[in-house]
mmCIF file with all atom_site columns, all heavy atoms in Angstrom:
data_model
loop_
_atom_site.group_PDB
_atom_site.id
_atom_site.type_symbol
_atom_site.label_atom_id
_atom_site.label_alt_id
_atom_site.label_comp_id
_atom_site.label_asym_id
_atom_site.label_entity_id
_atom_site.label_seq_id
_atom_site.pdbx_PDB_ins_code
_atom_site.Cartn_x
_atom_site.Cartn_y
_atom_site.Cartn_z
_atom_site.occupancy
_atom_site.B_iso_or_equiv
_atom_site.pdbx_formal_charge
_atom_site.auth_seq_id
_atom_site.auth_comp_id
_atom_site.auth_asym_id
_atom_site.auth_atom_id
_atom_site.pdbx_PDB_model_num
ATOM 1   N N   . GLN A 1 130 ? -12.638 -0.810 4.191  1.00 96.00 ? 1568 GLN A N   1
ATOM 2   C CA  . GLN A 1 130 ? -12.587 -1.197 5.597  1.00 96.00 ? 1568 GLN A CA  1
ATOM 3   C C   . GLN A 1 130 ? -11.695 -2.225 5.954  1.00 96.00 ? 1568 GLN A C   1
ATOM 4   O O   . GLN A 1 130 ? -10.778 -2.235 6.920  1.00 96.00 ? 1568 GLN A O   1
ATOM 5   C CB  . GLN A 1 130 ? -13.913 -1.479 6.257  1.00 96.00 ? 1568 GLN A CB  1
ATOM 6   C CG  . GLN A 1 130 ? -13.934 -1.749 7.780  1.00 96.00 ? 1568 GLN A CG  1
ATOM 7   C CD  . GLN A 1 130 ? -13.393 -0.472 8.556  1.00 96.00 ? 1568 GLN A CD  1
ATOM 8   O OE1 . GLN A 1 130 ? -13.982 0.666  8.340  1.00 96.00 ? 1568 GLN A OE1 1
ATOM 9   N NE2 . GLN A 1 130 ? -12.502 -0.683 9.372  1.00 96.00 ? 1568 GLN A NE2 1
ATOM 10  N N   . LYS A 1 131 ? -11.737 -3.365 5.082  1.00 97.00 ? 1569 LYS A N   1
ATOM 11  C CA  . LYS A 1 131 ? -10.768 -4.503 5.277  1.00 97.00 ? 1569 LYS A CA  1
ATOM 12  C C   . LYS A 1 131 ? -9.290  -4.047 5.179  1.00 97.00 ? 1569 LYS A C   1
ATOM 13  O O   . LYS A 1 131 ? -8.469  -4.527 5.963  1.00 97.00 ? 1569 LYS A O   1
ATOM 14  C CB  . LYS A 1 131 ? -11.001 -5.619 4.267  1.00 97.00 ? 1569 LYS A CB  1
ATOM 15  C CG  . LYS A 1 131 ? -12.228 -6.339 4.440  1.00 97.00 ? 1569 LYS A CG  1
ATOM 16  C CD  . LYS A 1 131 ? -12.423 -7.384 3.312  1.00 97.00 ? 1569 LYS A CD  1
ATOM 17  C CE  . LYS A 1 131 ? -13.780 -8.054 3.389  1.00 97.00 ? 1569 LYS A CE  1
ATOM 18  N NZ  . LYS A 1 131 ? -13.931 -9.059 2.262  1.00 97.00 ? 1569 LYS A NZ  1
ATOM 19  N N   . ALA A 1 132 ? -8.989  -3.138 4.240  1.00 97.00 ? 1570 ALA A N   1
ATOM 20  C CA  . ALA A 1 132 ? -7.663  -2.639 4.124  1.00 97.00 ? 1570 ALA A CA  1
ATOM 21  C C   . ALA A 1 132 ? -7.179  -1.936 5.317  1.00 97.00 ? 1570 ALA A C   1
ATOM 22  O O   . ALA A 1 132 ? -6.024  -2.140 5.859  1.00 97.00 ? 1570 ALA A O   1
ATOM 23  C CB  . ALA A 1 132 ? -7.513  -1.727 2.897  1.00 97.00 ? 1570 ALA A CB  1
ATOM 24  N N   . GLN A 1 133 ? -8.114  -1.020 5.886  1.00 96.00 ? 1571 GLN A N   1
ATOM 25  C CA  . GLN A 1 133 ? -7.693  -0.403 7.140  1.00 96.00 ? 1571 GLN A CA  1
ATOM 26  C C   . GLN A 1 133 ? -7.456  -1.393 8.286  1.00 96.00 ? 1571 GLN A C   1
ATOM 27  O O   . GLN A 1 133 ? -6.442  -1.276 9.032  1.00 96.00 ? 1571 GLN A O   1
ATOM 28  C CB  . GLN A 1 133 ? -8.788  0.542  7.616  1.00 96.00 ? 1571 GLN A CB  1
ATOM 29  C CG  . GLN A 1 133 ? -8.957  1.732  6.626  1.00 96.00 ? 1571 GLN A CG  1
ATOM 30  C CD  . GLN A 1 133 ? -10.079 2.646  7.094  1.00 96.00 ? 1571 GLN A CD  1
ATOM 31  O OE1 . GLN A 1 133 ? -10.184 3.094  8.186  1.00 96.00 ? 1571 GLN A OE1 1
ATOM 32  N NE2 . GLN A 1 133 ? -10.999 2.961  6.173  1.00 96.00 ? 1571 GLN A NE2 1
ATOM 33  N N   . ASP A 1 134 ? -8.325  -2.412 8.389  1.00 97.00 ? 1572 ASP A N   1
ATOM 34  C CA  . ASP A 1 134 ? -8.144  -3.360 9.489  1.00 97.00 ? 1572 ASP A CA  1
ATOM 35  C C   . ASP A 1 134 ? -6.886  -4.074 9.319  1.00 97.00 ? 1572 ASP A C   1
ATOM 36  O O   . ASP A 1 134 ? -6.127  -4.379 10.262 1.00 97.00 ? 1572 ASP A O   1
ATOM 37  C CB  . ASP A 1 134 ? -9.314  -4.403 9.454  1.00 97.00 ? 1572 ASP A CB  1
ATOM 38  C CG  . ASP A 1 134 ? -10.676 -3.841 9.783  1.00 97.00 ? 1572 ASP A CG  1
ATOM 39  O OD1 . ASP A 1 134 ? -10.703 -2.639 10.413 1.00 97.00 ? 1572 ASP A OD1 1
ATOM 40  O OD2 . ASP A 1 134 ? -11.733 -4.362 9.426  1.00 97.00 ? 1572 ASP A OD2 1
ATOM 41  N N   . LYS A 1 135 ? -6.537  -4.531 8.061  1.00 96.00 ? 1573 LYS A N   1
ATOM 42  C CA  . LYS A 1 135 ? -5.268  -5.219 7.790  1.00 96.00 ? 1573 LYS A CA  1
ATOM 43  C C   . LYS A 1 135 ? -4.067  -4.415 8.227  1.00 96.00 ? 1573 LYS A C   1
ATOM 44  O O   . LYS A 1 135 ? -3.142  -4.927 8.740  1.00 96.00 ? 1573 LYS A O   1
ATOM 45  C CB  . LYS A 1 135 ? -5.250  -5.658 6.377  1.00 96.00 ? 1573 LYS A CB  1
ATOM 46  C CG  . LYS A 1 135 ? -3.897  -6.478 6.007  1.00 96.00 ? 1573 LYS A CG  1
ATOM 47  C CD  . LYS A 1 135 ? -4.014  -6.993 4.657  1.00 96.00 ? 1573 LYS A CD  1
ATOM 48  C CE  . LYS A 1 135 ? -2.824  -7.808 4.245  1.00 96.00 ? 1573 LYS A CE  1
ATOM 49  N NZ  . LYS A 1 135 ? -2.526  -8.932 5.037  1.00 96.00 ? 1573 LYS A NZ  1
ATOM 50  N N   . CYS A 1 136 ? -4.106  -3.096 7.796  1.00 96.00 ? 1574 CYS A N   1
ATOM 51  C CA  . CYS A 1 136 ? -2.921  -2.211 8.060  1.00 96.00 ? 1574 CYS A CA  1
ATOM 52  C C   . CYS A 1 136 ? -2.884  -2.040 9.663  1.00 96.00 ? 1574 CYS A C   1
ATOM 53  O O   . CYS A 1 136 ? -1.690  -2.042 10.166 1.00 96.00 ? 1574 CYS A O   1
ATOM 54  C CB  . CYS A 1 136 ? -3.026  -0.909 7.441  1.00 96.00 ? 1574 CYS A CB  1
ATOM 55  S SG  . CYS A 1 136 ? -2.715  -1.045 5.649  1.00 96.00 ? 1574 CYS A SG  1
ATOM 56  N N   . PHE A 1 137 ? -3.935  -1.948 10.354 1.00 96.00 ? 1575 PHE A N   1
ATOM 57  C CA  . PHE A 1 137 ? -3.976  -1.904 11.784 1.00 96.00 ? 1575 PHE A CA  1
ATOM 58  C C   . PHE A 1 137 ? -3.305  -3.089 12.392 1.00 96.00 ? 1575 PHE A C   1
ATOM 59  O O   . PHE A 1 137 ? -2.579  -3.068 13.340 1.00 96.00 ? 1575 PHE A O   1
ATOM 60  C CB  . PHE A 1 137 ? -5.251  -1.608 12.405 1.00 96.00 ? 1575 PHE A CB  1
ATOM 61  C CG  . PHE A 1 137 ? -5.853  -0.138 12.347 1.00 96.00 ? 1575 PHE A CG  1
ATOM 62  C CD1 . PHE A 1 137 ? -6.979  0.069  11.690 1.00 96.00 ? 1575 PHE A CD1 1
ATOM 63  C CD2 . PHE A 1 137 ? -5.071  0.806  12.908 1.00 96.00 ? 1575 PHE A CD2 1
ATOM 64  C CE1 . PHE A 1 137 ? -7.437  1.461  11.697 1.00 96.00 ? 1575 PHE A CE1 1
ATOM 65  C CE2 . PHE A 1 137 ? -5.554  2.100  12.860 1.00 96.00 ? 1575 PHE A CE2 1
ATOM 66  C CZ  . PHE A 1 137 ? -6.651  2.369  12.277 1.00 96.00 ? 1575 PHE A CZ  1
ATOM 67  N N   . ASP A 1 138 ? -3.544  -4.217 11.850 1.00 96.00 ? 1576 ASP A N   1
ATOM 68  C CA  . ASP A 1 138 ? -3.105  -5.591 12.403 1.00 96.00 ? 1576 ASP A CA  1
ATOM 69  C C   . ASP A 1 138 ? -1.603  -5.829 12.136 1.00 96.00 ? 1576 ASP A C   1
ATOM 70  O O   . ASP A 1 138 ? -1.053  -6.493 12.979 1.00 96.00 ? 1576 ASP A O   1
ATOM 71  C CB  . ASP A 1 138 ? -3.943  -6.722 11.748 1.00 96.00 ? 1576 ASP A CB  1
ATOM 72  C CG  . ASP A 1 138 ? -5.376  -6.742 12.213 1.00 96.00 ? 1576 ASP A CG  1
ATOM 73  O OD1 . ASP A 1 138 ? -5.641  -6.081 13.260 1.00 96.00 ? 1576 ASP A OD1 1
ATOM 74  O OD2 . ASP A 1 138 ? -6.175  -7.472 11.537 1.00 96.00 ? 1576 ASP A OD2 1
ATOM 75  N N   . ILE A 1 139 ? -1.069  -5.324 11.017 1.00 95.00 ? 1577 ILE A N   1
ATOM 76  C CA  . ILE A 1 139 ? 0.315   -5.693 10.574 1.00 95.00 ? 1577 ILE A CA  1
ATOM 77  C C   . ILE A 1 139 ? 1.226   -4.592 10.702 1.00 95.00 ? 1577 ILE A C   1
ATOM 78  O O   . ILE A 1 139 ? 2.521   -4.832 10.370 1.00 95.00 ? 1577 ILE A O   1
ATOM 79  C CB  . ILE A 1 139 ? 0.282   -6.309 9.255  1.00 95.00 ? 1577 ILE A CB  1
ATOM 80  C CG1 . ILE A 1 139 ? -0.142  -5.318 8.163  1.00 95.00 ? 1577 ILE A CG1 1
ATOM 81  C CG2 . ILE A 1 139 ? -0.614  -7.585 9.197  1.00 95.00 ? 1577 ILE A CG2 1
ATOM 82  C CD1 . ILE A 1 139 ? 0.151   -5.766 6.827  1.00 95.00 ? 1577 ILE A CD1 1
ATOM 83  N N   . TRP A 1 140 ? 0.854   -3.420 11.152 1.00 95.00 ? 1578 TRP A N   1
ATOM 84  C CA  . TRP A 1 140 ? 1.770   -2.220 11.022 1.00 95.00 ? 1578 TRP A CA  1
ATOM 85  C C   . TRP A 1 140 ? 3.105   -2.468 11.673 1.00 95.00 ? 1578 TRP A C   1
ATOM 86  O O   . TRP A 1 140 ? 4.145   -2.037 11.308 1.00 95.00 ? 1578 TRP A O   1
ATOM 87  C CB  . TRP A 1 140 ? 1.150   -0.953 11.522 1.00 95.00 ? 1578 TRP A CB  1
ATOM 88  C CG  . TRP A 1 140 ? 0.994   -0.852 12.949 1.00 95.00 ? 1578 TRP A CG  1
ATOM 89  C CD1 . TRP A 1 140 ? -0.198  -1.278 13.713 1.00 95.00 ? 1578 TRP A CD1 1
ATOM 90  C CD2 . TRP A 1 140 ? 1.850   -0.343 13.883 1.00 95.00 ? 1578 TRP A CD2 1
ATOM 91  N NE1 . TRP A 1 140 ? 0.057   -0.974 15.002 1.00 95.00 ? 1578 TRP A NE1 1
ATOM 92  C CE2 . TRP A 1 140 ? 1.320   -0.387 15.195 1.00 95.00 ? 1578 TRP A CE2 1
ATOM 93  C CE3 . TRP A 1 140 ? 3.167   0.206  13.749 1.00 95.00 ? 1578 TRP A CE3 1
ATOM 94  C CZ2 . TRP A 1 140 ? 1.941   -0.007 16.384 1.00 95.00 ? 1578 TRP A CZ2 1
ATOM 95  C CZ3 . TRP A 1 140 ? 3.811   0.569  14.967 1.00 95.00 ? 1578 TRP A CZ3 1
ATOM 96  C CH2 . TRP A 1 140 ? 3.172   0.558  16.261 1.00 95.00 ? 1578 TRP A CH2 1
ATOM 97  N N   . LYS A 1 141 ? 3.005   -3.136 12.881 1.00 95.00 ? 1579 LYS A N   1
ATOM 98  C CA  . LYS A 1 141 ? 4.344   -3.198 13.782 1.00 95.00 ? 1579 LYS A CA  1
ATOM 99  C C   . LYS A 1 141 ? 5.347   -4.120 13.010 1.00 95.00 ? 1579 LYS A C   1
ATOM 100 O O   . LYS A 1 141 ? 6.488   -3.767 12.862 1.00 95.00 ? 1579 LYS A O   1
ATOM 101 C CB  . LYS A 1 141 ? 4.018   -3.772 15.140 1.00 95.00 ? 1579 LYS A CB  1
ATOM 102 C CG  . LYS A 1 141 ? 5.136   -3.973 16.006 1.00 95.00 ? 1579 LYS A CG  1
ATOM 103 C CD  . LYS A 1 141 ? 5.713   -2.715 16.451 1.00 95.00 ? 1579 LYS A CD  1
ATOM 104 C CE  . LYS A 1 141 ? 6.766   -2.912 17.534 1.00 95.00 ? 1579 LYS A CE  1
ATOM 105 N NZ  . LYS A 1 141 ? 8.036   -2.243 17.239 1.00 95.00 ? 1579 LYS A NZ  1
ATOM 106 N N   . ASP A 1 142 ? 4.895   -5.275 12.527 1.00 94.00 ? 1580 ASP A N   1
ATOM 107 C CA  . ASP A 1 142 ? 5.753   -6.132 11.773 1.00 94.00 ? 1580 ASP A CA  1
ATOM 108 C C   . ASP A 1 142 ? 6.361   -5.603 10.507 1.00 94.00 ? 1580 ASP A C   1
ATOM 109 O O   . ASP A 1 142 ? 7.514   -5.665 10.223 1.00 94.00 ? 1580 ASP A O   1
ATOM 110 C CB  . ASP A 1 142 ? 5.074   -7.535 11.414 1.00 94.00 ? 1580 ASP A CB  1
ATOM 111 C CG  . ASP A 1 142 ? 4.746   -8.356 12.674 1.00 94.00 ? 1580 ASP A CG  1
ATOM 112 O OD1 . ASP A 1 142 ? 5.438   -8.250 13.677 1.00 94.00 ? 1580 ASP A OD1 1
ATOM 113 O OD2 . ASP A 1 142 ? 3.898   -9.230 12.580 1.00 94.00 ? 1580 ASP A OD2 1
ATOM 114 N N   . GLU A 1 143 ? 5.396   -4.858 9.724  1.00 93.00 ? 1581 GLU A N   1
ATOM 115 C CA  . GLU A 1 143 ? 5.846   -4.283 8.513  1.00 93.00 ? 1581 GLU A CA  1
ATOM 116 C C   . GLU A 1 143 ? 6.827   -3.118 8.766  1.00 93.00 ? 1581 GLU A C   1
ATOM 117 O O   . GLU A 1 143 ? 7.778   -2.894 8.066  1.00 93.00 ? 1581 GLU A O   1
ATOM 118 C CB  . GLU A 1 143 ? 4.659   -3.798 7.649  1.00 93.00 ? 1581 GLU A CB  1
ATOM 119 C CG  . GLU A 1 143 ? 3.771   -4.838 7.102  1.00 93.00 ? 1581 GLU A CG  1
ATOM 120 C CD  . GLU A 1 143 ? 4.617   -5.819 6.179  1.00 93.00 ? 1581 GLU A CD  1
ATOM 121 O OE1 . GLU A 1 143 ? 5.447   -5.276 5.414  1.00 93.00 ? 1581 GLU A OE1 1
ATOM 122 O OE2 . GLU A 1 143 ? 4.282   -6.957 6.160  1.00 93.00 ? 1581 GLU A OE2 1
ATOM 123 N N   . TYR A 1 144 ? 6.600   -2.312 9.814  1.00 93.00 ? 1582 TYR A N   1
ATOM 124 C CA  . TYR A 1 144 ? 7.455   -1.255 10.275 1.00 93.00 ? 1582 TYR A CA  1
ATOM 125 C C   . TYR A 1 144 ? 8.889   -1.773 10.541 1.00 93.00 ? 1582 TYR A C   1
ATOM 126 O O   . TYR A 1 144 ? 9.891   -1.239 10.197 1.00 93.00 ? 1582 TYR A O   1
ATOM 127 C CB  . TYR A 1 144 ? 6.967   -0.439 11.281 1.00 93.00 ? 1582 TYR A CB  1
ATOM 128 C CG  . TYR A 1 144 ? 7.775   0.813  11.699 1.00 93.00 ? 1582 TYR A CG  1
ATOM 129 C CD1 . TYR A 1 144 ? 8.006   1.835  10.843 1.00 93.00 ? 1582 TYR A CD1 1
ATOM 130 C CD2 . TYR A 1 144 ? 8.458   0.816  12.870 1.00 93.00 ? 1582 TYR A CD2 1
ATOM 131 C CE1 . TYR A 1 144 ? 8.848   2.876  11.161 1.00 93.00 ? 1582 TYR A CE1 1
ATOM 132 C CE2 . TYR A 1 144 ? 9.197   1.938  13.299 1.00 93.00 ? 1582 TYR A CE2 1
ATOM 133 C CZ  . TYR A 1 144 ? 9.424   2.955  12.408 1.00 93.00 ? 1582 TYR A CZ  1
ATOM 134 O OH  . TYR A 1 144 ? 10.218  3.959  12.734 1.00 93.00 ? 1582 TYR A OH  1
#
Side-chain angles (χ1 to χ4, degrees):
Q1568 183 60 52
K1569 288 178 187 178
Q1571 290 179 55
D1572 293 344
K1573 182 171 178 60
C1574 287
F1575 279 123
D1576 291 343
I1577 66 171
W1578 74 267
K1579 180 72 172 126
D1580 289 339
E1581 290 298 326
Y1582 181 67

